[in-house]
Amino acid sequence: MLMWYVIQVIKGREEAMVERIERVLPADVAAEVFYPQYTTQIKVRGTWTSVDKPLFPGYLMCITDDPRLVEQHLLRMDDFARVLRQGDEFVPLAKEETVVLEQFTHRGERVVPMSQAVKEGDNVVVTAGPLLGHEAMISSINRHKSIASLEFDLCGRHVTARLGLAVLSKEQWAMQNLKRAIA
């Protein structure tokens, strides 16, 4: 049965490691190897630019039914890469954990798009995007970096993940909706 397993790699090398692992693993060993990403915006020379960043820096996901065989192939590589385990047992992601990732992404497109929210007094209300309906998962918001921090359990560990969240003032939100209605 195909399960999701986590592969630990060196932070900043996620993309290169996915490519290397895909070359090393036979096609029938893993259904998919990827690193989930999120889209956010940063200011470059005064202009807001969309960028994709790793959702879990230093970690890849591998969908396989044989984590031991994946580990054997990883051990043959020069780079650091290992399937996470507890003791001697490889631990797959729990169904609830994979459901959250599958709600935000899908096969072939493992990038969580940016969400939008509007600030109403002290409250921030998500109006569009993957965070809509998942506001309870948000632990903090950094408006200046257009990022929402989410906390949840992953492989028995409490982790914080970041997702893109553009927080608009009520006036900005009204102008954006007006422009859409006119177009």
Side-chain angles (χ1 to χ4, degrees):
M1 184 165 117
L2 289 175
M3 304 288 284
W4 291 39
Y5 294 88
V6 177
I7 299 175
Q8 185 178 15
V9 297
I10 296 171
K11 283 183 186 179
R13 305 242 326 122
E14 295 88 1
E15 186 172 357
M17 290 305 294
V18 166
E19 292 171 6
R20 292 208 59 212
I21 291 169
E22 285 177 336
R23 282 194 308 254
V24 169
L25 285 181
D28 62 337
V29 173
E32 187 178 4
V33 177
F34 64 95
Y35 71 106
Q37 301 173 73
Y38 69 94
T39 299
T40 189
Q41 292 184 333
I42 60 171
K43 235 179 194 178
V44 178
R45 294 184 204 97
T47 305
W48 287 102
T49 306
S50 292
V51 294
D52 293 339
K53 296 186 172 191
L55 187 58
F56 306 110
Y59 296 97
L60 311 178
M61 301 294 158
C62 179
I63 302 174
T64 184
D65 59 359
D66 194 348
R68 290 192 192 290
L69 190 53
V70 171
E71 180 80 358
Q72 288 172 2
H73 286 283
L74 294 179
L75 290 173
R76 295 182 194 143
M77 294 175 36
D78 295 344
D79 293 311
F80 172 77
R82 64 182 179 134
V83 180
L84 288 187
R85 60 172 92 194
Q86 289 180 341
D88 290 337
E89 293 295 317
F90 294 102
V91 181
L93 292 181
K95 188 65 180 167
E96 309 83 58
E97 297 165 344
T98 61
V99 166
V100 169
L101 289 171
E102 287 178 323
Q103 285 176 346
F104 291 150
T105 68
H106 58 277
R107 186 182 174 110
E109 184 60 36
R110 297 294 185 178
V111 180
V112 182
M114 197 156 174
S115 295
Q116 288 190 342
V118 63
K119 186 163 174 55
E120 294 180 352
D122 289 340
N123 295 330
V124 174
V125 179
V126 177
T127 57
L131 286 176
L132 184 63
H134 297 284
E135 292 88 346
M137 293 176 71
I138 299 173
S139 60
S140 65
I141 295 172
N142 184 331
R143 288 186 67 192
H144 300 290
K145 291 189 175 185
S146 299
I147 291 176
S149 295
L150 285 72
E151 294 191 12
F152 53 95
D153 292 324
L154 190 69
C155 267
R157 299 175 184 180
H158 194 71
V159 296
T160 301
R162 295 179 175 152
L163 291 180
L165 179 66
V167 181
L168 308 173
S169 67
K170 266 195 159 183
E171 294 80 22
Q172 290 170 319
W173 185 70
M175 284 300 291
Q176 191 177 51
N177 284 338
L178 182 62
K179 286 178 186 176
R180 279 192 201 134
I182 293 172

